Amino acid sequence: MQPQTHPNPDLSVGPDHHPRWNAAPHRRQGFHTLHRIARYSLGFRAASVLDLRLTADLGIPAREDVRRLTASPWFSALAVTEGNRLLYEAYAPDFGPDRPHAIMSISKMAANLILGHLWEAGRIALDEPLGAILPWLGPGYRDATVQQALNMDVHNAFNEDYTDPFTTVFQFETAMGMRLPQGPEPLMAELLAGIGLAPGAGDSVNRTGASLYKSANTDVLMLAAEARGGRPLRAWLADLADAAGIEGVLHMGTDRAGTPIFSGGICLTARDLCRYGALFARNGRGVDGTAFGSAAFLDRTLAGGVPMPAPRGHLRYSNQTNTDGTWVGHGGYGGQYLVANPATGRVACYLSVLQDAHGYDPDWYPPVIAMLTEICAGP
């Protein structure tokens, strides 16, 4: 007799076009347990852990914006570090310091470290067309350069509108094991190869004057890094965990073939997210002092980039980070943000879960960014 089965309820897509874990009533629990919900993942632990010792900065909890944003029902965690000092941390009642949280697109910052390392080593050129590195790419990326992809400066048919039931980013969720497929299950490389030009466009040049956010850029870049780096991406992740000195597990989502999804696959605790950010505060150096990223590439990152659209028009998208010229950081779908300031050595992260219809509100981020920027500027 054939055994009885039923579709995985966490990954089944409902009438709101989201899998249950990402539907508004379940999204908070989903973000707090995505490292266990996603079908495919890898885990990495560090050999040596960066000590974080509580040295409270009472000016941080005294801030009005800290009080307000940590009181929000969407709040999960806020943590601030400087070197080995844990200056502040706060958690929602249903979260805690030992709990991993989905950081979504903050994962993209790892591409800055890895591509920067390869660039400094002469293994990859920023003006090189991606099609010269990955000949199987379709017209959406074939002629775009490494630098254009790094700066979210590519115009193609990839769509990341979470309110659109036909958005191509939902196909990527299927490849990542975050929703059940309708038909054959795609691999990430297959999806990337199939991205074409935007309707009516004759090339992939971005003529808008502002960055065009496409998570696919990151995954193309990381496959280019794997090709030019001569080692599997999972080896870079093992080195990343060691360089950051994380205490828990760096969880990385993958597709069915085991390809790590650097566009949004990492889950970390708040403290370990600060340890990850501290790689930028240390100008790319790991906890043992050796270079994991590139200080010269970070300088280029702080100085370069493409203006971001409103309401973040005061920032630039540069080499897979957001920057104002002083700090680097990134946001994540659903309500996360990380800021790292190399001038002060401070790192601050804010984790939250937006429980609106689609998990995205562009107006949620500016006050969070302003708070983290001011905290990382120091007393």
Side-chain angles (χ1 to χ4, degrees):
M1 178 181 292
Q2 183 71 28
Q4 296 293 311
T5 66
H6 63 271
N8 186 312
D10 286 330
L11 303 171
S12 296
V13 178
D16 61 354
H17 305 293
H18 293 294
R20 188 177 74 170
W21 73 266
N22 196 27
H26 305 279
R27 186 175 295 127
R28 186 169 181 85
Q29 181 184 13
F31 271 63
H32 291 180
T33 57
L34 189 57
H35 60 292
R36 297 202 300 264
I37 290 174
R39 296 176 70 195
Y40 318 116
S41 66
L42 298 170
F44 302 87
R45 300 204 70 189
S48 298
V49 176
L50 175 67
D51 290 335
L52 288 178
R53 302 169 186 173
L54 183 62
T55 312
D57 179 345
L58 296 180
I60 297 174
R63 295 177 57 96
E64 183 278 332
D65 50 6
V66 169
R67 296 196 302 270
R68 172 168 44 85
L69 287 168
T70 56
S72 168
W74 291 350
F75 168 70
S76 292
L78 172 61
V80 183
T81 64
E82 183 182 327
N84 291 114
R85 302 165 64 204
L86 179 62
L87 300 178
Y88 178 77
E89 64 179 342
Y91 298 93
D94 64 344
F95 201 59
D98 60 344
R99 297 280 302 279
H101 198 291
I103 67 169
M104 296 295 176
S105 287
I106 303 175
S107 307
K108 291 177 169 68
M109 293 182 70
N112 177 285
L113 297 166
I114 296 168
L115 269 296
H117 185 101
L118 292 174
W119 167 78
E120 188 169 89
R123 304 292 293 273
I124 199 164
L126 301 181
D127 60 355
E128 193 169 9
L130 288 161
I133 306 171
L134 304 172
W136 46 264
L137 286 173
Y141 282 105
R142 184 182 300 134
D143 297 325
T145 66
V146 171
Q147 186 65 78
Q148 287 171 325
L150 281 165
N151 286 355
M152 295 292 178
D153 198 19
V154 180
H155 179 51
N156 61 28
F158 184 84
N159 176 2
E160 198 154 348
D161 180 1
Y162 287 89
T163 67
D164 179 358
F166 303 105
T167 179
T168 45
V169 78
F170 288 164
Q171 300 173 23
F172 278 58
E173 283 190 357
T174 301
M176 296 166 69
M178 293 183 179
R179 63 169 57 208
L180 296 181
Q182 296 180 348
E185 183 175 341
L187 298 179
M188 183 57 67
E190 295 170 344
L191 292 177
L192 296 173
I195 296 173
L197 297 175
D203 56 38
S204 57
V205 176
N206 174 19
R207 298 177 175 87
T208 67
S211 59
L212 294 173
Y213 191 81
K214 298 176 185 292
S215 287
N217 292 7
T218 311
D219 293 310
V220 169
L221 286 167
M222 294 313 300
L223 291 178
E226 184 170 55
R228 285 296 166 85
R231 60 203 302 253
L233 291 176
R234 63 182 178 273
W236 286 104
L237 285 164
D239 289 348
L240 174 61
D242 281 336
I246 65 168
E247 182 177 19
V249 178
L250 188 158
H251 301 272
M252 171 58 94
T254 76
D255 68 2
R256 195 176 185 91
T259 302
I261 311 301
F262 280 83
S263 59
I266 295 179
C267 296
L268 289 170
T269 68
R271 291 176 184 174
D272 280 342
L273 181 52
C274 284
R275 290 179 170 102
Y276 168 82
L279 280 164
F280 295 87
R282 294 192 302 268
N283 291 291
R285 294 201 169 273
V287 291
D288 64 355
T290 59
F292 178 75
S294 164
F297 194 69
L298 182 57
D299 287 342
R300 290 176 63 103
T301 300
L302 290 166
V306 176
M308 296 182 67
R312 301 187 212 177
H314 62 297
L315 302 178
R316 288 170 279 112
Y317 201 96
S318 183
N319 294 335
Q320 296 291 290
T321 77
N322 303 171
T323 186
D324 68 348
T326 301
W327 53 262
V328 293
H330 212 292
Y333 163 75
Q336 301 79 52
Y337 210 88
L338 173 71
V339 166
N341 189 325
T344 64
R346 284 195 172 194
V347 180
C349 72
Y350 181 85
L351 301 174
S352 63
V353 185
L354 280 62
Q355 292 176 279
D356 56 1
H358 299 290
Y360 186 73
D361 178 357
D363 294 327
W364 174 250
Y365 294 89
V368 172
I369 295 169
M371 174 185 70
L372 299 179
T373 297
E374 292 176 13
I375 289 172
C376 285

